[in-house]
Amino acid sequence: MSKSIDPRPELPKRFYAEVTVSEGEGGHAILLDGRPVKTPARRPLAIPSRAVAHAVAAEWEAQGERIDPATMPVTRLVNTVVDAIADDPDPVRTDVARYAETDLLFYRAGDPARLVERQRDRWDPILEWVHQRLGARFLLAEGVMHVAQPEPALRAVVGHVADFADPFAVAALHQVTTLTGSALLALALADGHVTAEEAWSLAHLDEDWNIEQWGADAEAEIRRALRWEEMQAAALILAGR
């Protein structure tokens, strides 16, 4: 009988004993036994925020015999910033703003009445905050048929997103947007209007409704837990902007 082959690559062994944070001109560096960590593209890993740097250091410290990147959401995000976003954040900002064209919060259920009411009670206050903060009004739709949003409202979102100059904040904003399906929830989180827990709950309102009716799926719960870790990593970066 032939043996099955595990397609997953073997994780690298932990090669260091001590993890420290060192502050320099370029930001905070993570040191493993005194040697600075580099990104996958071999760039110096310099993190502006002290809190984020210590979160990265904690992830490296928490590694056991093997180093598992899947357990290091903050490290993965900052690596992405340094290697793929810092040189040109504009495409990422553009992608965030584009989400406002089909934002999660615009598309509402037609029934049952309790779900309709729950969406109205929990999502409408975010839209009102957006109106107060950006002067933007959006159109709502029942179901999933696309509704074109007013150009002035979309321009307001584009202008607000453009205010995010720091590539770390841009990357975090994008991560929250893609995880929640809502640029408006991401902006509300970045502005401190909602917490990460509140934004996460609002983004999963429909999913949680279905769980209440039919029960939870174990595999879906695992995937959601992993996405929540990514959400927390992004929220940490936004908190320090």
Side-chain angles (χ1 to χ4, degrees):
M1 179 183 293
S2 61
K3 295 183 179 179
S4 61
I5 300 176
D6 189 343
R8 295 173 299 179
E10 186 176 26
L11 296 173
K13 290 184 178 181
R14 177 168 173 158
F15 56 87
Y16 55 90
E18 184 182 36
V19 183
T20 55
V21 176
S22 175
E23 185 174 1
E25 290 185 6
H28 298 81
I30 312 303
L31 307 181
L32 307 179
D33 292 338
R35 296 181 178 179
V37 171
K38 292 185 180 294
T39 68
R42 308 304 299 166
R43 292 186 173 190
L45 186 62
I47 304 170
S49 165
R50 184 175 182 273
V52 174
H54 279 274
V56 171
E59 290 181 343
W60 283 93
E61 183 62 53
Q63 299 304 298
E65 183 181 346
R66 301 270 178 182
I67 301 172
D68 185 358
T71 65
M72 308 170 76
V74 185
T75 301
R76 292 199 309 272
L77 183 52
V78 298
N79 280 338
T80 298
V81 176
V82 175
D83 284 347
I85 296 177
D87 291 341
D88 184 13
D90 281 344
V92 183
R93 276 191 288 261
T94 298
D95 198 47
V96 171
R98 226 176 249 139
Y99 265 79
E101 298 174 11
T102 56
D103 202 276
L104 168 76
L105 304 187
F106 304 154
Y107 295 91
R108 306 297 178 90
D111 58 76
R114 286 172 53 220
L115 176 57
V116 172
E117 181 182 9
R118 186 178 298 185
Q119 289 178 337
R120 182 178 63 247
D121 290 347
R122 299 195 63 201
W123 286 355
D124 283 6
I126 300 297
L127 297 180
E128 181 57 32
W129 171 81
V130 172
H131 174 62
Q132 296 296 328
R133 183 72 172 83
L134 307 183
R137 286 286 192 195
F138 293 94
L139 303 177
L140 305 184
E142 185 177 309
V144 295
M145 291 297 292
H146 175 70
V147 57
Q149 296 298 328
E151 284 299 324
L154 295 176
R155 286 197 299 270
V157 173
V158 170
H160 190 59
V161 172
D163 290 339
F164 289 75
D166 174 44
F168 284 85
V170 172
L173 189 72
H174 186 267
Q175 183 148 298
V176 173
T177 299
T178 57
L179 286 168
T180 63
S182 173
L184 303 187
L185 284 177
L187 292 173
L189 174 61
D191 205 57
H193 181 69
V194 296
T195 65
E197 291 81 4
E198 289 168 339
W200 193 247
S201 176
L202 290 167
H204 290 82
L205 187 151
D206 290 349
E207 182 178 312
D208 288 339
W209 169 268
N210 288 328
I211 290 172
E212 290 174 18
Q213 311 312 308
W214 312 109
D217 175 81
E219 290 187 3
E221 285 187 319
I222 292 172
R223 291 193 297 270
R224 178 164 164 171
L226 293 174
R227 294 198 311 272
W228 169 236
E229 291 180 356
E230 295 177 346
M231 177 78 168
Q232 290 175 291
L236 175 66
I237 289 176
L238 288 174
R241 65 182 286 260

